[in-house]
C-alpha cells in the first residue's frame, strides 16, 4: 500500500475536529428541530446527479463550477463523464418533485440538509464543500406559504439565540414596477437589478457608473438614481402608479402583517431595492441579517417558474428559504457549546479489574449517562489514568480497586475539586444521576 | 434552461421519500446516541479526497470502483482527474489521524457517520451511494479497546430492538495458529482464509474443491478439512499447540469475558473459522448476525498495521466496528416508525383569518407541538382543508372562524373520531399539550 504524501484535506474542503463538528451540528440540529415542529418533511437525494440533470441550469459561470465525475469503468484518457456532484439542493428538488408528484402532498413542505459542491477558487469563508439547509413549499400560490417560509427561517434564528435579526423584504413585482417607472428597456432590466443589488457595497455613485458602463441611456440612469434616493413614502407612491408595482406593494404589506407577530424580537423591513442575485424569483424575496453584519445569514423567495421549467412539467408554484449554514456556524463561534462527551470516566485498577470497570460503565450508560472507560495500556497507574480523564474533560472519575471491591464500595473523584467520596457500590448509578442532574 | 429528460436518480443511488428518510434516520440517530453515551467523539472529513490518497489502498478490484472527479476547470477531453469520492471511512481516518495526531486524545475514540461511494454494478440491496456508521479506537493496544468496540456495537443493536443477536468472535491469531497446524505454506495462507470464509455458503465439499482448485497439496487440504470438522474442544487443543494459536485463544477468551456481561440478551460465540474478507486485521475480529439471517449486520476487528501504513507514520494500534446501515434499515422495515410530522393542523377560515391562524400556530410551536397551517389556495372550504389535514396524518384540526373569534373561543376537531369541542382561546395551548401527552 502506498502511504499518504499529503495529509491535508483537498483544497477548499475541511476536516472537522470533534468540537468543530459539534459547532456545525448545533446549527443543523436546531434547524432540523424547528423545521419538524413547523410540519416540514425530511427528504434526501443522492450526492451526485446525471450530468444532463445539472447542465444548462446555472448559467455559464455556475456551470464551470460543477464537479464532474468520470464514467464508471472509463479510463481518464477517454474523458467520458456521466455524473456530477450536486451544485445546490434546488435542481435535485425539481427532479424529485417531477418524479414523486403523485406520492407527495399537494402542498409539499420539505426540508433538506446536506452538503453541496462547487469548484470555487478557495478563499476565506468560501468552500468547495459546504452545507445547505433549505426549506421549500411546493404547490401553493398563497402568500401564506411565503409567510410560513419567512417565519420558519426566523424561528430557527431565534432558536439559535440570534433574536436581533433584521429581515429585509421585497417583491420581485415591486422591482418590476420600479423598472417600469424608470422606463428601463426590457432587455436591460436584468442589468439594472444586478446593479441595484450592489448599492450597499458600492454606493449611489458606484451604481451610477455601473449603469452607464452597461450602456443605459443617461435619461434612464437619472430616473433610476432619483428613484432610489426617494424616501419610502414617495417611493411607495411611485411604485403604486404601475399595476405590477401595486401588486408588489400589496404582497409585501400582507407578508409583513402575517410575519411580524410570529417574530420574537426580529425586525421586518421593507427594502424596495433588495434585488437578490438569482433571476428566477417571481414574488416576495427576503434576506436576513444579524444586527451589525452586512452578510446575509439566510435568504429566499418565491420562484413559481423554476420547478416546472427544470422538470419540464406544468408551472408549479414554489417558495422557500435557505440558511447560510457556514456563516451561522462562524457567527456562533464564540457561544460556548453545550457540555457534550463523557461525563464520567471509569479507571481500571489493573487488568484483573477490567470486567468490573466495564460492568460499572454499562450500568451508567444504561442510565443515560455518557461514560468512558480507561482503554489505554494495561496496568497503568491511577494518576496517569486520572490525567487522561481530566484532559478529556470528564467531570467524575470512578475508582474501583481491591479495597472498594472487598467493602462493596466505589470511590468517586470529582476532578475539578479533587474531592473523593466513597459510597456503596449499589447506590452508584442513583448518586451519579443526582450529581450530574444537579449541574 | 433545459429540462430533465430523466427524472430517476442516477443508477445505483436512491431518493428518499419522507418516511424512507425517517427509517434511515432512526438507525443513524440511535447509533449516534449510543456512540455519544459511550464517549466516542464525532468528526468529519470531506466527501472527496485527493486521488493519490485513495489509490493503492483497496486492491485492484476495489480501486476500479472508485468514482474519480475531473480536475477543476479541465475539459473532459484532457481527462485529468485529481479528486475521488471516498470509498470508505477508514482511509480518510488514517489521513485525519496523521494530520491531527497532536490535537487528538492519545486514545482517540471516534465515530463517523456518512455516505461513501462505490461504482458497483447495481443489484438488489447493493448501492453506489450508501451510509457507513463506524466507530474506531485509535492508539490503544489493549483488549479493553476491542471489548469497548464490540460492546458499543452490541448496544446499538439492542437499542434498535434487535436484542437476539449472535456475535461471532474470532482472532486473526487463532486463524494463524490453524494455518500453522495444517502446515499451510506461507504463500497460500490468504487463499485458505478466503476459502474458509466461504464455508457457510458452499459447505465442506465446496471448500475442498476450492482449496484443490487453488493448487494446494492434497495433504494440506486433508489436514484443513479434518481440522474444520473437529468439535470445539479438540479444535481448541489443536490451536493451543502453537504459540500464535494460544495467543489467539487467550484473546478470544478474554474478550468473551469482558463483553458477555454487557450484552443484554445477545449471544457471543467463538467461531474459529470466521475469517472476514479484509486481510488487514491483526487481532480479534467479529461479525454480528440477527437470529435467523446469514447476512452480517455489523462487523469489525483490530487492525494494528493499517493506519500507520496508510498514513506513512509509526505503527498505530487500532480497533473498531462498523454497522451495516442499509441492512439494518431493511431489517427494521416492518417496525413502525414513531409518530413524526405535525400533530396539529390549523385551518384558515378565509384570507382575512390568515393572521389568526399563524398566531395560533406560533403559540403551539413555541410550546414544542409540531404544527401545520393550511397553505393551499386561499378561501378554500373547510372540508377540503380537513381532508388535507387527514391525508397528512395530523390528529387535531383547529378551527377559528367568525363565530369563534366573536366568542374568544376555538374549536378543536379530533380527526380520528370526528369529535369537535370548543374551548376558550386562552386555554388552547395547555389543552393541546395535555391531549398530545396523553397519547
Amino acid at each position: 500500500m502506498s502511504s499518504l504524501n499529503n495529509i491535508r484535506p483537498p483544497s477548499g474542503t475541511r476536516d472537522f475536529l470533534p468540537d468543530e463538528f459539534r459547532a456545525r451540528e448545533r446549527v443543523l440540529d436546531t434547524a432540523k428541530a424547528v423545521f419538524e415542529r413547523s410540519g416540514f418533511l425530511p427528504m434526501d437525494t443522492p450526492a451526485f446527479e446525471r450530468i444532463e440533470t445539472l447542465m444548462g441550469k446555472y448559467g455559464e459561470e455556475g456551470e464551470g463550477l460543477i464537479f464532474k465525475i468520470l464514467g464508471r469503468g472509463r479510463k481518464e484518457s477517454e474523458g467520458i463523464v456521466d455524473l456530477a456532484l450536486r451544485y445546490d439542493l434546488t435542481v435535485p428538488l425539481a427532479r424529485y418533485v417531477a418524479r414523486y408528484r403523485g406520492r407527495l402532498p399537494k402542498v409539499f413542505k420539505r426540508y433538506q440538509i446536506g452538503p453541496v459542491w462547487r469548484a470555487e477558487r478557495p478563499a476565506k469563508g468560501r468552500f468547495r464543500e459546504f452545507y445547505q439547509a433549505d426549506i421549500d413549499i411546493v404547490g401553493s400560490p398563497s402568500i401564506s406559504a411565503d409567510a410560513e417560509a419567512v417565519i420558519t427561517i426566523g424561528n430557527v434564528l431565534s432558536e439559535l439565540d440570534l433574536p436581533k435579526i433584521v429581515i429585509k423584504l421585497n417583491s420581485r413585482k415591486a422591482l418590476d414596477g420600479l423598472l417600469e417607472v424608470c422606463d428601463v428597456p426590457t432587455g436591460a432590466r436584468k442589468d439594472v437589478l444586478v446593479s441595484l443589488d450592489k448599492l450597499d457595497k458600492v454606493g449611489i455613485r458606484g451604481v451610477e457608473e455601473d449603469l452607464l458602463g452597461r450602456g443605459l441611456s443617461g435619461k434612464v440612469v437619472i430616473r433610476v438614481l432619483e428613484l432610489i434616493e426617494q424616501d419610502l413614502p414617495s417611493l411607495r407612491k411611485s411604485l403604486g402608479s404601475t399595476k405590477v408595482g401595486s401588486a408588489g406593494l400589496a404582497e409585501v404589506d400582507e407578508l409583513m402583517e402575517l410575519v411580524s407577530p410570529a417574530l420574537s424580537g426580529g425586525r421586518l423591513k421593507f427594502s424596495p431595492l433588495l434585488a437578490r442575485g438569482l433571476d428566477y424569483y417571481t414574488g416576495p424575496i427576503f434576506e436576513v441579517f444579524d444586527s451589525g453584519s452586512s452578510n446575509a445569514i439566510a435568504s429566499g423567495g418565491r420562484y413559481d417558474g423554476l420547478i416546472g421549467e427544470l422538470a419540464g412539467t406544468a408551472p408549479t408554484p414554489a417558495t422557500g428559504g435557505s440558511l447560510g449554514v457556514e456563516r451561522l456556524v462562524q457567527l456562533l463561534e464564540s457561544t460556548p457549546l453545550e457540555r457534550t462527551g463523557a461525563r464520567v470516566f471509569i479507571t481500571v485498577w489493573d487488568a484483573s479489574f477490567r470486567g468490573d470497570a466495564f460492568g460499572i460503565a454499562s450500568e451508567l450508560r444504561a442510565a443515560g449517562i455518557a461514560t468512558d472507560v480507561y482503554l489505554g495500556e494495561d496496568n497503568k497507574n491511577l494518576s496517569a489514568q486520572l490525567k487522561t480523564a481530566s484532559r478529556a474533560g470528564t467531570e467524575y472519575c470512578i475508582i474501583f480497586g481491591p479495597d472498594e471491591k472487598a467493602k462493596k464500595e466505589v470511590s468517586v473523584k470529582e476532578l475539578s475539586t479533587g474531592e473523593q467520596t466513597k459510597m456503596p457500590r449499589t447506590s452508584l448509578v442513583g448518586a451519579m444521576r443526582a450529581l450530574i442532574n444537579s449541574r
Side-chain angles (χ1 to χ4, degrees), chain A residues 1-191:
Chain A
M1 288 191 184
S2 74
S3 66
L4 307 168
N5 294 311
N6 190 339
I7 56 175
R8 280 178 310 159
S11 170
T13 69
R14 292 160 294 171
D15 294 321
F16 288 78
L17 287 166
D19 276 345
E20 293 166 345
F21 185 88
R22 291 201 158 114
R24 187 176 71 187
E25 284 284 280
R26 170 169 59 181
V27 171
L28 300 181
D29 286 350
T30 303
K32 190 181 159 158
V34 172
F35 296 164
E36 288 275 345
R37 202 193 301 150
S38 304
F40 286 82
L41 300 173
M43 54 156 282
D44 206 5
T45 59
F48 50 68
E49 295 282 345
R50 277 189 193 77
I51 196 151
E52 319 83 88
T53 304
L54 302 189
M55 288 297 137
K57 307 294 192 296
Y58 300 108
E60 203 183 330
E61 201 183 327
E63 199 150 306
L65 303 181
I66 290 175
F67 280 111
K68 296 171 187 168
I69 299 173
L70 206 68
R72 174 182 192 276
R74 298 295 190 166
K75 293 212 174 63
E76 279 87 329
S77 57
E78 292 180 80
I80 293 177
V81 301
D82 56 0
L83 300 169
L85 289 175
R86 65 185 176 206
Y87 177 90
D88 65 12
L89 302 177
T90 304
V91 169
L93 172 65
R95 182 183 61 67
Y96 186 95
V97 167
R99 181 162 195 224
Y100 302 102
R101 165 119 307 175
R103 298 167 70 180
L104 300 174
K106 209 182 139 207
V107 174
F108 178 44
K109 292 169 67 173
R110 73 96 184 219
Y111 71 89
Q112 188 173 6
I113 298 175
V116 301
W117 295 270
R118 297 180 187 178
E120 303 262 12
R121 278 185 198 287
K124 193 168 174 286
R126 198 203 288 150
F127 304 106
R128 291 185 170 183
E129 172 180 75
F130 59 95
Y131 265 67
Q132 292 200 331
D134 283 13
I135 50 171
D136 292 275
I137 302 167
V138 180
S140 169
S142 169
I143 192 93
S144 292
D146 300 287
E148 179 83 327
V150 180
I151 289 171
T152 305
I153 293 287
N155 285 343
V156 173
L157 299 172
S158 97
E159 196 95 335
L160 282 172
D161 272 327
L162 296 169
K164 290 196 174 158
I165 51 168
V166 177
I167 303 182
K168 294 190 178 171
L169 282 177
N170 196 12
S171 161
R172 201 56 179 244
K173 291 175 192 151
L175 283 169
D176 284 343
L178 188 146
L179 297 171
E180 199 179 319
V181 171
C182 299
D183 276 334
V184 174
T186 316
R189 293 183 161 212
K190 207 171 146 184
D191 273 353

Side-chain angles (χ1 to χ4, degrees), chain A residues 9 28 78 113 121-122 139 206 217 226 278 289 337 380 413 424 429:
Chain A
L28 300 181
E78 292 180 80
I113 298 175
R121 278 185 198 287
S217 73
E226 271 175 11
L278 299 160
F289 298 83
L337 288 163
K380 198 91 176 175
K413 193 181 182 78
V429 172

